[in-house]
């Protein structure tokens, strides 16, 4: 919004309708009898840009905290983990992975390079198209992966098909072991107004 020389006045409240007339007069009304704030976690995990602020919460800071939470969970469950490097699944995996690597005190490496001309694979129709899309979307830097125990950190796992392909790609590039983690909390409820995906 600031990039377009607008200023943020406030967030639209749950259940609120906002009408701005052609003269610039703003009308607002709460249209729901008992509105609740029920944010979509995918906004914080995947859809929003890192420089966004949603309901007064920085998306970037939220992603760093999710990475830190996951690192703490790893340290609790596997204090003597075997992780040599942390590799984000680009692009949204970066924020989570940087903080996780810092907390685990292991190197952060961008060993998967994204082809920016391929659309989001998890919303492609049909499994065959999604698989081909993943192969075209990510290219490994083999020198970073060979002989290492790699923790791949993705923002989320929707179907798991893409995750399996990324793991296979990293294994084929010479990684000794591949661990795969998702920074997102579990999907527990459908968002009927968002992206159509199974929950």
């Amino acid at each position: 919004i600031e990039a377009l020389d607008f200023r943020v006045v406030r967030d639209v409240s749950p259940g609120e309708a906002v009408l701005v007339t052609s003269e610039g007069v703003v009308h607002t009304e709460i249209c729901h009898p008992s509105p609740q704030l029920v944010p979509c976690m995918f906004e914080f995990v995947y859809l929003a840009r890192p420089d966004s602020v949603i309901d007064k919460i920085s998306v970037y800071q939220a992603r760093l905290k999710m990475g830190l939470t996951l690192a703490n969970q790893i340290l609790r469950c596997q204090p003597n983990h075997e992780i040599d490097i942390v590799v984000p699944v680009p692009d949204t995996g970066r924020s989570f992975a940087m903080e996780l690597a810092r907390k685990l005190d292991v190197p952060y490496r961008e060993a998967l390079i994204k082809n920016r001309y391929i659309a989001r694979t998890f919303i492609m129709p049909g499994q065959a198209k999604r698989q081909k899309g993943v192969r075209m979307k990510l290219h490994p830097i083999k020198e970073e992966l060979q002989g290492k125990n790699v923790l791949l950190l993705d923002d989320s796992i929707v179907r798991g098909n893409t995750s399996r392909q990324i793991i296979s790609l990293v294994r084929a590039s010479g990684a000794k072991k591949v661990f795969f983690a998702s920074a997102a909390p579990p999907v527990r409820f459908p968002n009927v107004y968002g992206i159509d995906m199974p929950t």
Side-chain angles (χ1 to χ4, degrees):
I1 290 177
E2 288 91 353
L4 298 172
D5 287 332
F6 292 102
R7 68 183 173 85
V8 175
V9 176
R10 66 177 178 85
D11 288 324
V12 177
S13 298
E16 180 180 26
V18 178
L19 171 70
V20 181
T21 68
S22 55
E23 294 80 29
V25 178
V26 178
H27 302 278
T28 65
E29 184 177 339
I30 301 295
C31 301
H32 192 280
S34 54
Q36 294 179 327
L37 177 63
V38 284
C40 174
M41 76 141 189
F42 269 95
E43 289 291 340
F44 289 98
V45 169
Y46 180 73
L47 297 170
R49 288 174 22 150
D51 58 343
S52 300
V53 176
I54 302 171
D55 298 317
K56 299 184 177 78
I57 299 169
S58 160
V59 170
Y60 181 73
Q61 291 298 319
R63 289 178 182 172
L64 291 179
K65 285 181 183 176
M66 284 184 246
L68 181 62
T69 299
L70 185 56
N72 286 331
Q73 186 176 351
I74 291 169
L75 290 171
R76 241 185 349 268
C77 298
Q78 295 288 325
N80 300 315
H81 64 79
E82 303 174 75
I83 301 165
D84 294 323
I85 61 171
V86 174
V87 175
V89 176
D91 284 318
T92 45
R94 289 187 175 122
S95 305
F96 309 109
M98 283 189 292
E99 191 65 9
L100 182 137
R102 183 196 64 75
K103 180 68 177 178
L104 296 183
D105 197 27
V106 297
Y108 166 91
R109 294 290 183 263
E110 297 214 10
L112 294 173
I113 304 304
K114 181 180 174 186
N115 178 345
R116 300 191 187 284
Y117 303 104
I118 301 296
R120 291 177 165 162
T121 54
F122 85 96
I123 57 175
M124 288 181 171
Q127 179 60 17
K129 283 190 179 182
R130 285 192 294 272
Q131 286 178 333
K132 185 177 181 185
V134 171
R135 285 194 305 273
M136 294 175 66
K137 182 178 179 177
L138 295 174
H139 300 277
I141 300 176
K142 293 182 179 180
E143 298 79 13
E144 289 292 337
L145 301 167
Q146 288 172 340
K148 295 189 179 120
N149 295 331
V150 178
L151 171 60
L152 289 171
L153 184 54
D154 206 349
D155 51 44
S156 58
I157 301 170
V158 176
R159 291 182 184 88
N161 301 320
T162 301
S163 307
R164 278 190 284 279
Q165 282 204 286
I166 295 169
I167 291 165
S168 294
L169 177 69
V170 171
R171 279 189 181 138
S173 298
K176 187 163 58 172
K177 286 186 181 179
V178 180
F179 306 101
F180 194 90
S182 164
V187 176
R188 294 180 20 202
F189 306 103
N191 178 357
V192 295
Y193 301 109
I195 294 171
D196 183 21
M197 60 183 171
T199 51

